[in-house]
Amino acid sequence: MFVYEKKLEYPVHIKTPNPKLANLIISQYGGPDGELGASLRYLSQRYSMPFDECKAVLTDIGVEELGHLEMVGTIVHQLTKNLTQEQIETAGFDAYFVDHTAGVYPVAASGDPWTAATMQVTGDVIADLSEDLAAEQKARLTYDNILRFCRDDPDVTDVIRFLREREVVHFQRFGEVLELAKEKMNHKNVYLCNPSFDRK
């Protein structure tokens, strides 16, 4: 069971609408390396993780990614709140607006809607944790790319920098978990997460 604390992990207070920037940042909501996919990846992988400490990290980070999804959604909402017709058209936000008005929809900056095909859950300890390391680096890179376009708005850059830093921390944690999992597998003399296979 989850307990929902009704506040963001990091405050979001954006004063200036910018639908063009929202069109880019939304990729971290529903893009291929965004927070929605990250959360579902880790919360799904935890079921087949045989080691309690590793399962706990997958759960903790998966839940935190839900909080990041909420933050990104809040950024997009605040950047697109009370737009004029001219702002919508000038920013190239019209195509999104036709389908979703100013609702926050899980989509990539390219316009492709979110799909579970962008994430992987194999049930294999090494494969899944390696996927997680790569996912965190790709998310960090996406935030790096977003930062190139929002330098002029400190209200946005401040939050994006926080989110980027959390990707770095998650990468470090998954690196530690991968080493711990390998150590436990060596100790139990098992091949990956399936105890029916003896390592040769």
Side-chain angles (χ1 to χ4, degrees), residues 1-2 8 10 25 32 52 59 68 71 74 87 95 102 109 121 123 127-128 136 141 144 146 160 168 174-176 184:
M1 181 179 76
F2 296 103
L8 297 177
Y10 192 88
I25 293 174
D52 289 342
T59 303
H68 295 172
M71 288 173 63
T74 301
Q87 286 173 316
V121 179
D128 281 350
E136 293 297 328
L141 175 61
D144 283 342
I146 289 169
I160 297 297
V168 173
F174 281 130
E176 295 165 2
K184 287 182 169 291

Side-chain angles (χ1 to χ4, degrees), residues 44-45 48 119-129 131 193:
S44 297
Q45 288 175 354
S48 54
M119 54 176 265
Q120 184 56 271
V121 179
T122 68
D124 179 290
V125 173
I126 302 299
D128 281 350
L129 291 173
E131 162 90 4
C193 66

Side-chain angles (χ1 to χ4, degrees), residues 92-126:
F93 193 68
D94 46 350
Y96 180 94
F97 189 86
V98 165
D99 290 335
H100 312 292
T101 319
V104 180
Y105 176 75
V107 64
S110 63
D112 295 325
W114 185 82
T115 171
T118 60
M119 54 176 265
Q120 184 56 271
V121 179
T122 68
D124 179 290
V125 173
I126 302 299

